[in-house]
Amino acid sequence: MKNITVRNVTIACVAVVFLGFQGYMAFFRPLPPLLQNPIHLSLALMAAFLFYPLYRKPEGAAKSIKEFLGVLDFAAVIALGAVIVYFVTQADRLMLRIQYLDPLTALDYAMMAIVLVLLFESVRRVLGLNLLIFIFVFIAYAWFGKYAPAIISHRGTNWKAFTDLMIMGADGVFGVPLNASASFLYYFVIFGAFFAAGGGGRVLVDLGMKLSSKNSSGPAKAAILSSALFGMVNGSAVANVTTTGVMTIPMMKEIGYRPEQAGAVEAVASTGGQIMPPIMGVGAFIMAEMIGIPYVNIAISAIIPACVYFLAIFLLVDFIARKGSFRKPCASGPAVEPILPRLYLLLPVIALLVVIGMGRSLMMSAVYAIFAFLVINLIRGKKGLTPINLFKTLLQGTKQVAEIAVPTAACGIIIGIVVMSGLATKLSLIISALGTQSILPALLVTMLGCMVLGMALPTVAAYLAAYILFIPTLGRLGIPALPANMFIFYFGIVAQITPPVCLASFAAAGIAGANTWKTGWTAFRYAMPAFLVPFVFVEKPELLLMGT
């Protein structure tokens, strides 16, 4: 009972309301984007403020300070409730007004300030300062762009235009990226949380362990298979490392892999999970929304590059084991429960893929998968999740939704400013000039830009920022939309294993007890196929199963 606090009760209420709101859109009727997206973001921001309190240290501050900071968190939740009321009551006016022409009210300006301030603070809490600084740079460019060098300058903005851009239409905070979060990512994240908690993720990891060979490279191959299978559903490199690496890294070290080698293999394999069909990282779903093609096309096109990536890693670890004359793994490795009696736990994923293949919307595909999981959980009886554990899993899924909605909304600010200022066109002209004789220099610049973004930002945010900055350039060079998007998607992902900022490698190094710097550079070398494949499929789109 002592865990029942005002904050926990509020979190539970927000999660239930959030679920009810998304359920209403799935089962009754979808709402217009200018109503759906603000409500979705407001609920996600409430979750962010509650799950990431202003004061997180368990002790060390005066009780009065803790209480004051806690009051600020709840004041933010109340303010977000006011934002929801504003958009519900003003929905008709907002949908009928002509953006940038019709006048704004004092309330519109106030709501813009509230939404941005609360979004900025949630970015700081959830994602840290990197993305926040990135946003501030673009906001400064929006206001002071007329003082920038002539090649990237623009006429600047004013309060009316800025407010109109940020919250009064579909070009700013409530733009396409957030619309993807509200329309279908919520359901996929909740399904992923249920699937992992219900034992499905464990089956995938154990399956990889079982399928690996028993020779000296077996533990490394187990790491690759487990990470690839689990990453198909998980979609997060760091989470993949921490889930599978705790088993596979010690096994690799036991037979002779050096700590930095074991950590690097796990980091490279876990990162590859985000490019492994049929269920890739969240960025792949957003890519389908941005390009305007079915997600199944994205998944199919990624098959050959993903297979090349993992085949290269398989060969690598085999050669390392042979060269090092590693000993065979002992039979007393981590015990793996029989797989066959648990294969039915994968039925929700199979249902998801079947429904997607039938052409149903991503929203309804994920909803069917959630129902499939709940039915199987009910049939399992005492072996399944209890109602309390199901609710705890819903809370964890709500937290993960907030962690996706916050960067997608924040990137909407960047995208809106880039479109408003014409920066994308200006950068396109600059980079295109490099590719007049050959597109290779332009691709190299794009690669470096995507990797810098991927080092500083989460995968979703990195992809969205790269999309608005570099896709116009690649399109101007005659590269089709799918190869161009896959190109920036790949390099935003491999930044997770590229020094100096390589979060997946750092997480693996921590488990392996290895030097983080050595692990990062070792992973970088091991992942070289991921740096070469995008250039190949830009030149030969047939690798993405395009054309004949």
Side-chain angles (χ1 to χ4, degrees), residues 184-185 188-189 191-192 227-237 240 270-288 291 293-307 310 349 352-353 356 362 404 459-460 463 482 485-490 493 537 544:
F184 56 85
L185 290 181
F188 273 91
V189 171
F191 166 69
S227 299
L229 292 171
F230 186 67
M232 289 190 301
V233 178
N234 178 268
S236 169
N240 207 348
S270 294
T271 301
Q274 294 184 79
I275 60 172
M276 187 66 186
I279 303 175
M280 302 156 69
V282 172
F285 291 98
I286 295 181
M287 186 196 306
I291 302 177
I293 65 175
Y295 169 74
V296 68
N297 291 12
I298 302 287
I300 290 174
S301 69
I303 291 174
I304 294 179
C307 290
F310 281 103
V349 170
L352 174 66
L353 300 177
I356 290 177
L362 291 175
I404 290 174
T459 301
V460 172
Y463 166 72
L482 184 54
N485 277 268
M486 289 291 285
F487 185 89
I488 65 171
F489 181 61
Y490 259 66
I493 287 173
F537 65 58
L544 299 180

Side-chain angles (χ1 to χ4, degrees), residues 52-64:
Y52 294 87
L54 193 57
Y55 184 81
R56 304 186 197 179
K57 297 180 181 178
E59 54 187 25
K63 183 178 179 181
S64 58

Side-chain angles (χ1 to χ4, degrees), residues 57-140:
K57 297 180 181 178
E59 54 187 25
K63 183 178 179 181
S64 58
I65 295 177
K66 294 180 185 178
E67 291 177 347
F68 174 71
L69 296 178
V71 168
L72 292 182
D73 290 336
F74 284 97
V77 172
I78 293 171
L80 289 165
V83 172
I84 293 176
V85 172
Y86 163 78
F87 279 97
V88 170
T89 57
Q90 301 291 314
D92 291 338
R93 178 177 72 89
L94 295 177
M95 285 183 281
L96 292 175
R97 69 183 297 274
I98 301 175
Q99 196 175 6
Y100 302 112
L101 291 179
D102 287 353
L104 300 177
T105 66
L107 185 59
D108 296 332
Y109 290 109
M111 282 299 141
M112 184 273 295
I114 291 173
V115 169
L116 290 190
V117 168
L118 296 180
L119 179 57
F120 294 156
E121 174 59 13
S122 66
V123 169
R124 185 193 69 81
R125 295 189 190 193
V126 176
L127 302 165
L129 292 176
N130 286 340
L131 180 56
L132 189 61
I133 293 171
F134 199 64
I135 294 168
F136 285 161
V137 168
F138 275 86
I139 290 178

Side-chain angles (χ1 to χ4, degrees), residues 137 141-142 144-156 417-418 421-430:
V137 168
Y141 175 70
F144 305 109
K146 58 185 175 183
Y147 303 112
I151 196 167
I152 60 170
S153 66
H154 66 98
R155 63 182 181 180
I417 290 172
V418 168
S421 63
L423 179 61
T425 303
K426 296 178 176 69
L427 287 177
S428 176
L429 292 173
I430 296 171

Side-chain angles (χ1 to χ4, degrees), residues 249-417:
I249 288 176
M251 290 170 57
M252 285 187 275
K253 291 174 62 178
E254 179 187 333
I255 65 167
Y257 285 91
R258 296 195 305 273
E260 63 269 19
Q261 289 179 319
V265 169
E266 179 58 45
V268 172
S270 294
T271 301
Q274 294 184 79
I275 60 172
M276 187 66 186
I279 303 175
M280 302 156 69
V282 172
F285 291 98
I286 295 181
M287 186 196 306
E289 185 80 357
M290 301 298 283
I291 302 177
I293 65 175
Y295 169 74
V296 68
N297 291 12
I298 302 287
I300 290 174
S301 69
I303 291 174
I304 294 179
C307 290
V308 169
Y309 179 84
F310 281 103
L311 176 61
I313 304 172
F314 251 88
L315 294 174
L316 174 75
V317 298
D318 192 74
F319 293 153
I320 291 174
R322 292 173 186 271
K323 182 178 179 182
S325 300
F326 293 167
R327 56 186 175 273
K328 292 185 179 181
C330 63
S332 60
V336 176
E337 296 179 25
I339 301 291
L340 194 59
R342 295 183 291 151
L343 280 180
Y344 70 94
L345 294 176
L346 301 182
L347 287 175
V349 170
I350 296 173
L352 174 66
L353 300 177
V354 169
V355 176
I356 290 177
M358 292 169 59
R360 298 299 298 270
S361 69
L362 291 175
M363 174 196 288
M364 292 312 301
S365 299
V367 169
Y368 283 130
I370 292 172
F371 270 112
F373 167 81
L374 293 176
V375 170
I376 291 174
N377 190 71
L378 184 63
I379 295 173
R380 294 180 71 190
K382 292 182 179 180
K383 291 184 178 180
L385 296 178
T386 64
I388 292 178
N389 287 332
L390 281 173
F391 189 72
K392 288 181 179 178
T393 304
L394 173 65
L395 297 182
Q396 184 61 31
T398 302
K399 179 182 179 183
Q400 294 170 4
V401 168
E403 292 168 350
I404 290 174
V406 168
T408 52
C411 286
I413 297 174
I414 300 171
I415 291 173
I417 290 172

